Amino acid sequence: MIGQRFDDLSKLIEAEGAFAQEGKAAAKALSDLRTLEGLRSFLAHGQAKIALERTGKWIVILRHVSIRGQQAERLMLLCEQAEAEERLADLKRKSQKLCSVLGNFRRTVKS
């Protein structure tokens, strides 16, 4: 579970963590990437409907049901093609940054 792995990593590199000094850049990059974490739930566990506009652009409707505290929470996300492309570019940028700083972090800790 990626969320649990991110939580574990966060504990190690946060201000009070065992690798706080070495992990400053990684903590920032991880925090930035986690702003997009809600999207992962929709994509991994949700249901999608896609509609095509007359212009040829698409719209996706993502629905997700999560059970918390014995209550069903129904969520919906509507995303137009242009917005989805922006989110994808943001996701790529943030994930590449995290991979880069984690590589540097690993080399620092190994030394």
Side-chain angles (χ1 to χ4, degrees), residues 22-42:
E22 301 90 337
K24 280 183 184 179
K28 169 79 170 94
L30 180 58
S31 175
D32 288 347
L33 182 66
R34 291 195 87 171
T35 62
L36 302 172
E37 200 167 8
L39 182 59
R40 187 197 66 79
S41 296
F42 279 102

Side-chain angles (χ1 to χ4, degrees), residues 40-88:
R40 187 197 66 79
S41 296
F42 279 102
L43 295 173
H45 307 292
Q47 197 174 35
K49 286 185 182 179
I50 299 175
L52 191 61
E53 295 179 343
R54 290 181 192 178
T55 62
K57 301 215 183 258
W58 51 262
I59 297 172
V60 65
I61 303 165
L62 297 163
R63 296 180 189 276
H64 180 260
V65 176
S66 70
I67 309 295
R68 299 188 190 273
Q70 298 181 3
Q71 295 290 322
E73 181 181 13
R74 298 181 195 308
L75 303 169
M76 185 182 80
L77 175 66
L78 178 71
C79 197
E80 294 181 352
Q81 184 174 350
E83 181 186 357
E85 289 169 350
E86 288 175 18
R87 286 184 183 212
L88 178 60

